[in-house]
Amino acid sequence: MTETSRSELELVWQGQLSDLVTAVACSPDGRGWAASSAAGEAVWNAGLDDLIPLITPDTHSEAVPTIAGLAFSPDSRWLAAGGRSRQLCIWNCEDPHLPPQLVQCIEIGAWIERLAWHPHSSYLAVGTGVSARIWDIRNFTQIAIWEFDKASIFDLAWHPAGDLLAIAGYKGVQIRSIADATAPSQRIEIETASIRINWSDDGRYLAIGNLDRTLTIIDSEHPDRRWTLQGCPGKIRQLAWMAGTPNPCLAVASGNTIVLWHLNSDEIGWDGQLLEGHEGIIEVAIPHPYLPILASGSTDGYVCLWSASGDVEQILSERPIGKYTTLGWHPDGLDLLTGSQNGSLGVWIIPA
C-alpha cells in the first residue's frame, strides 16, 4: 500500500453484524443509513446511534438468506431489500422520529440479484435470474416483466432521465422504455457477457463492463460512436463516473487496480490511466457525490480516496480484521460508511 496520502480518515463510529456485510446505503436526505449481511439481517442507524434491527437472521427459513440488494428510493421515502429469501421487503421511512417501518414483503419466487430505483418515481427494478421486474411501490403492483433471452441478468441501470432501463447480461445489453413496457428493446450486441453497466450523470454515455475484461462505451447522442477499450487486468467489478471533472471520467475497478478513462478534449477517444496502490482485489469503488474523488475498498484491508488525477488523497487510519466488501457515501460527502468481511461496520469522517 502506498504511503503518499496527505491525511487519514478518522473513525468516529464502529458496529458489528453477524456475517459479511453485503451492502451499506445512506438515506438521500441524510437522516440515517442501513446495512445488510450475508446472514440475511438488515439494520438501521440514525447517524451514530446503536443499530436497530430491521430483519434478524432467523426471520427467514432458508439456511443462507443472503441480502444481495439494499437501496433507498431517491426521495428517501422507501427502503428496499432483497436476496436469497426470494422476498422483496419494503420499509416506509417517512416518519423522521421512527426507524423505517416494514410495510410489505412481496414473494418474488426467485433469488433477487439486483435492485435499482427509478431516479424520479416510486418504480423499482428488480433483477431475478433471467427477468427484470418493475414494481410500483406506491401500490405494490408489478407493472412490467422483461426477460433477457433466457440468460441471467447481471446488472440494471436507469437512465438519469428515468425513461429507459439498461439491462446487462449474456451477449450484451438491452434498453427498455418504461413509457411503453411492450415496445421492443434496443440492443447493444457484445460478443461476451456484459456484467456491469452505468450511465454517466448527464445520461449521454453508457459504460458497459464485459466478462472478457473489455470496456464498451456508447455515446447515446451519436449511436454510431462506440468505443471498445482494453487494458483491464482482471474481472471488472465496478464502474463509476466521477463528479466534477472537466471531461467525462470513468473509473473501472479491475483486479487490484483502478483504470481511469478520460474522454479526450476532441471527443474522439478515451485515455487510460492506471491507479496502483492496492495489493488485494478491489471489491468496491464509488464516486464522491459531488467532488472528483473516488473511494475504493480492497481485500488488502485498506480503503483509499483517489483524486481524478490519480493521486491517493487519503487512507483509513486503521484497518479492520476482515477485508472491505462495501462502501457508501453520506449525501453531504463528509462521512464514508464501510463494511467488511468479518461483519464490522464503520463511519469515517474526512478531516478538513
Side-chain angles (χ1 to χ4, degrees):
M1 181 64 215
T2 181
E3 298 295 337
T4 61
S5 58
R6 296 179 185 173
S7 56
E8 296 181 337
L9 303 181
E10 178 186 355
L11 181 66
V12 295
W13 181 92
Q14 195 166 21
Q16 186 70 39
L17 298 182
S18 62
D19 206 336
L20 179 149
V21 182
T22 56
V24 291
C26 243
S27 174
D29 62 9
R31 188 168 65 88
W33 53 270
S36 61
S37 82
E41 66 194 308
V43 297
W44 162 260
N45 187 297
L48 302 177
D49 299 333
D50 293 334
L51 296 175
I52 297 175
L54 299 177
I55 301 177
T56 55
D58 59 352
T59 298
H60 303 294
S61 59
E62 292 194 11
V64 189
T66 301
I67 294 178
L70 181 75
F72 286 93
S73 60
D75 62 2
S76 301
R77 182 179 179 183
W78 308 102
L79 171 65
R84 293 186 183 179
S85 69
R86 303 171 187 260
Q87 287 186 329
L88 175 63
C89 295
I90 305 293
W91 289 265
N92 187 303
C93 309
E94 287 185 293
D95 192 329
H97 305 293
L98 294 174
Q101 302 295 298
L102 183 65
V103 292
Q104 194 83 8
C105 278
I106 303 167
E107 293 291 340
I108 298 296
W111 286 8
I112 295 172
E113 303 289 348
R114 289 284 185 271
L115 297 176
W117 284 100
H118 187 283
H120 311 301
S121 77
S122 59
Y123 293 159
L124 177 66
V126 182
T128 61
V130 301
S131 299
R133 309 163 188 239
I134 311 300
W135 286 80
D136 187 344
I137 301 305
R138 290 174 301 178
N139 48 24
F140 304 106
T141 57
Q142 182 174 276
I143 61 173
I145 180 168
W146 295 321
E147 291 195 358
F148 195 93
D149 297 333
K150 307 299 181 183
S152 294
I153 290 172
F154 294 114
D155 206 2
L156 303 169
W158 288 101
H159 187 280
D163 51 345
L164 303 172
L165 177 70
I167 307 168
Y170 183 61
K171 294 291 184 180
V173 173
Q174 292 184 21
I175 300 177
R176 306 297 300 250
S177 170
I178 192 62
D180 185 357
T182 62
S185 65
Q186 304 174 41
R187 292 176 178 267
I188 301 171
E189 301 291 340
I190 306 288
E191 287 300 314
T192 184
S194 297
I195 55 178
R196 289 290 180 266
I197 46 176
N198 200 345
W199 295 93
S200 60
D201 289 344
D202 61 3
R204 177 170 177 177
Y205 298 101
L206 177 63
I208 306 169
N210 304 310
L211 192 60
D212 63 359
R213 303 183 182 182
T214 62
L215 175 71
T216 303
I217 300 180
I218 305 295
D219 183 346
S220 63
E221 292 186 4
H222 304 280
D224 57 323
R225 299 179 70 186
R226 169 173 170 164
W227 297 273
T228 298
L229 308 175
Q230 300 181 353
C232 294
K235 177 182 177 181
I236 295 175
R237 296 178 180 272
Q238 208 91 36
L239 301 174
W241 292 95
M242 295 186 70
T245 57
N247 292 323
C249 177
L250 177 70
V252 181
S254 173
N256 65 350
T257 67
I258 295 169
V259 184
L260 288 186
W261 292 98
H262 302 266
L263 182 64
N264 294 340
S265 56
D266 53 13
E267 297 189 3
I268 63 172
W270 298 76
D271 297 323
Q273 177 186 7
L274 287 178
L275 308 188
E276 297 178 319
H278 283 296
E279 297 175 357
I281 298 298
I282 298 171
E283 295 286 354
V284 59
I286 59 171
H288 191 277
Y290 52 84
L291 295 175
I293 293 172
L294 183 81
S296 62
S298 167
T299 58
D300 60 15
Y302 283 99
V303 167
C304 297
L305 265 60
W306 309 82
S307 70
S309 62
D311 297 322
V312 178
E313 296 293 307
Q314 295 160 334
I315 61 173
L316 268 61
S317 58
E318 55 188 89
R319 298 164 66 185
I321 298 173
K323 305 168 184 178
Y324 285 104
T325 56
T326 186
L327 303 172
W329 283 106
H330 189 279
D332 65 11
L334 300 178
D335 295 335
L336 182 69
L337 280 62
T338 62
S340 69
Q341 187 180 49
N342 71 339
S344 67
L345 292 166
V347 177
W348 305 77
I349 190 168
I350 300 176

